[in-house]
Amino acid sequence: MSTEPPPGSGQQPPEDDPFRKQPPPGQGSGSPYDPPPYGSQPPYGSEPPPYGGGSYPTDPLAGMPPLADSGRRTLARIIDMILVGIVVWLLTWAFGVHEYNINSDHVSYAKSLGQSFTAAVLYMGYDTVMLAKSGQTLGKKWLGLRVANLDNGSTPSVQTNLIRAAVLWIPFAFCCACIWTAISGGWSFFDKPYKQGLHDKAAKTVVVSTR
C-alpha cells in the first residue's frame, strides 16, 4: 500500500520535505541514520529514542538546526496574537458579536461566547494552515523560527498542527485566556532537553531556529 498522500491533499511526502533530516553525505550502509535491523535490540544500558524515534535511533535533534530561544518564541507568539486578534476584532465588530454588551447591568453571555468561538476558530485555523505549509507562522518567519517534528525534523502534518493548535488555543479562547498561553508557551523556558511548550509535547514537535 502506498504511503504517499492522496493527490490534492497539499501534504508533501516526508521524503520530499526539504527540512527533513538527511543522513550525512558519504554515509553508506551502517550509518547511525539507518533503521536498526528487524528484531534487533538496543545496546545494553542505552535508552530508546523518545516518541519512537523511527529511523533516527540516536539523539532526535541530530541533523536539525539548534532549538529556538524561548524569548524569541514568545515574541513571535505575541506578533501572531496581535495579527489574528485584529481580524477577530474586525469580524466581531462587523457582525455585532462583542465580548460584552452591557445594557441595564445585563451582560450578554451569548455574544461573549460568540467572540470566544470566533477567536478559537481563527487562531487554530491560522496556526494549522500556516504551519502545515512551511512550519512557520508570520511571527515565526519574521523572527527566524520554525516548527518541526521531533522524530525526523520534517514539517508537521495538518493533523499534528491541529492537535498543537487545539491544546494552545481552546483553553485560551474559552476559559483561561492569557494565563493558559503563558503556561503552555512558558513551559519551554524550563523544559529539558527539547524546550517544548505543553502544546509541543502534545503534538511531539519542537521549535528550531532558521538563522
Side-chain angles (χ1 to χ4, degrees), residues 88-134:
V88 172
W89 182 84
L90 289 174
L91 286 176
T92 54
W93 175 80
F95 291 99
V97 183
H98 307 295
E99 183 66 26
Y100 297 108
N101 181 26
I102 302 177
N103 184 14
S104 300
D105 298 324
H106 174 71
V107 179
S108 175
Y109 176 73
K111 290 195 173 184
S112 175
L113 184 62
Q115 186 174 52
S116 296
F117 179 79
T118 302
V121 170
L122 289 181
Y123 277 118
M124 288 177 59
Y126 172 78
D127 267 18
T128 301
V129 173
M130 295 291 290
L131 294 180
K133 287 183 176 180
S134 62

Side-chain angles (χ1 to χ4, degrees), residues 73 77 80-81 120 123-124 127 131 140 161-174 176-186 197-200 202:
R73 289 185 59 173
R77 177 61 65 194
D80 289 328
M81 289 176 67
Y123 277 118
M124 288 177 59
D127 267 18
L131 294 180
K140 286 181 171 58
N161 286 312
L162 186 59
I163 293 172
R164 190 175 187 272
V167 171
L168 184 61
W169 293 118
I170 289 179
F172 169 86
F174 289 101
C176 307
C178 294
I179 295 176
W180 173 250
T181 306
I183 294 173
S184 181
L198 296 180
H199 50 304
D200 289 311

Side-chain angles (χ1 to χ4, degrees), residues 131-200:
L131 294 180
K133 287 183 176 180
S134 62
Q136 295 176 303
T137 58
L138 291 177
K140 286 181 171 58
K141 183 175 182 179
W142 294 340
L143 294 183
L145 308 176
R146 179 182 166 269
V147 177
N149 286 318
L150 176 60
D151 62 346
N152 60 16
S154 62
T155 300
S157 66
V158 170
Q159 180 179 359
T160 297
N161 286 312
L162 186 59
I163 293 172
R164 190 175 187 272
V167 171
L168 184 61
W169 293 118
I170 289 179
F172 169 86
F174 289 101
C175 63
C176 307
C178 294
I179 295 176
W180 173 250
T181 306
I183 294 173
S184 181
W187 200 270
S188 68
F189 282 88
F190 311 102
D191 184 70
K192 305 276 184 198
Y194 303 125
K195 294 185 179 181
Q196 292 174 299
L198 296 180
H199 50 304
D200 289 311

